[in-house]
Amino acid sequence: MADAAYGLWPLVVLNTLLFIVFAASFFRPRSRRDWRAMGAYRRQIMKTPATRAARRRTALTVAAATLVAGLTLTGCGDDSSGTPATTSPTNTTAPATVEPGAHNRADVDFAQQMIPHHRQAIAMSQMAESHAATRSVKELADQIEKAQEPEIRTMTGWLQAWGEQVPEGMYGMHDTDGMDGMDDGGMMGRQQMMDLDHASSRNFDSMFLTMMIQHHEGAVTMAKAEQQNGAYGPAKDLADQIIKTQTAEITHMRDILHGS
């Protein structure tokens, strides 16, 4: 409050000076005789009670106007710390809603492992947009991407609410550099991802379907473990959804691969 009052003094002085300049310009005399006449007139007027009351009203009006102007300018400007009067939120994305309920280590492991697993499936699916030869493979890849991105956001919200680490990248807590293939939940090694990215046309379609089938099989195995060992209801529900969705996609991919 003291800082705010201190900040009003320059405005009070400024308004007072403006008032004096205005009055002087309005009643400016042209000669010494005019000055003397004005002084006598002013002394005579100031003696009357009505004039004294008017002076008090005028002073109060000027003071009130000055205070309002100062508060307005202070409210519109920056404070001493440079913080704007109105700040916008730094994150425009609403956080994922986390349903209440007890969870255990199996729930944490499920989310931490499935997030990078989903990220790799999305990376593979994005390759299909430019590499795939057939419309059926492109449509399947688009379906996988649209289904798994929201699931990643959901599981990330759980881990953040639980105070657990959110894995980064598509390999998460595990280093797959030394992997020969599908040893970690059906995850591809880095070399396999490079080979897939270098493939094209029908060769890409065949590699994509073969690798994604095994990738999905790993996800189904992870989801079944969550159903058996997890305690958090929403995580078990998501595991059930993954089993149903990806089992159906496995069947569809096998049909495409075999030309049926």
Side-chain angles (χ1 to χ4, degrees), residues 87-237:
T87 57
S88 57
T90 56
N91 186 4
T92 59
T93 304
T97 302
V98 178
E99 298 181 28
H103 69 280
N104 60 13
R105 187 67 232 177
D107 298 316
V108 175
D109 291 342
F110 170 69
Q112 288 181 334
Q113 294 169 15
M114 193 62 79
I115 287 173
H117 197 276
H118 273 19
R119 285 178 182 149
Q120 188 174 76
I122 291 173
M124 295 167 64
S125 298
Q126 289 173 342
M127 293 181 193
E129 296 176 6
S130 58
H131 292 38
T134 60
R135 180 178 177 182
S136 56
V137 171
K138 291 184 177 182
E139 289 177 347
L140 172 66
D142 183 64
Q143 174 182 314
I144 292 171
E145 185 175 352
K146 288 180 178 178
Q148 296 194 16
E149 281 183 341
E151 293 175 352
I152 290 175
R153 290 194 294 270
T154 297
M155 291 183 285
T156 297
W158 296 343
L159 293 175
Q160 291 173 339
W162 299 337
E164 299 287 348
Q165 181 181 355
V166 177
E168 299 180 359
M170 71 173 65
Y171 294 106
M173 310 295 186
H174 310 286
D175 182 7
T176 61
D177 278 335
M179 292 172 56
D180 293 327
M182 326 298 180
D183 299 329
D184 190 8
M187 291 282 285
M188 306 296 119
R190 286 184 171 85
Q191 185 59 50
Q192 290 173 302
M193 293 293 288
M194 291 175 62
D195 292 342
L196 181 63
D197 194 28
H198 292 155
S200 60
S201 192
R202 296 283 180 178
N203 186 35
F204 174 88
D205 290 0
S206 178
M207 289 181 64
F208 174 84
L209 292 170
T210 300
M211 294 166 70
M212 190 62 79
I213 286 172
Q214 296 181 60
H215 200 271
H216 272 29
E217 288 174 341
V220 170
T221 299
M222 293 162 62
K224 288 180 177 179
E226 166 61 20
Q227 284 190 324
Q228 294 175 0
N229 305 317
Y232 187 54
K236 295 168 75 73
D237 291 341

Side-chain angles (χ1 to χ4, degrees), residues 57-75:
R57 287 195 298 270
T58 302
L60 290 174
T61 301
V62 171
T66 302
L67 180 60
V68 170
L71 291 175
T72 302
L73 291 174
T74 302

Side-chain angles (χ1 to χ4, degrees), residues 15-73:
N15 278 272
T16 303
L17 290 174
L18 291 174
F19 178 80
I20 293 172
V21 171
F22 173 79
S25 62
F26 186 79
F27 294 105
R28 183 174 61 243
R30 298 182 179 179
S31 65
R32 290 184 180 182
R33 181 181 300 175
D34 292 333
W35 276 110
R36 288 194 296 270
M38 180 179 290
Y41 177 78
R42 184 174 181 274
R43 285 192 298 273
Q44 180 64 32
I45 292 297
M46 297 296 285
K47 293 179 181 179
T48 64
T51 301
R52 288 196 294 270
R55 285 179 60 203
R56 287 194 294 270
R57 287 195 298 270
T58 302
L60 290 174
T61 301
V62 171
T66 302
L67 180 60
V68 170
L71 291 175
T72 302
L73 291 174

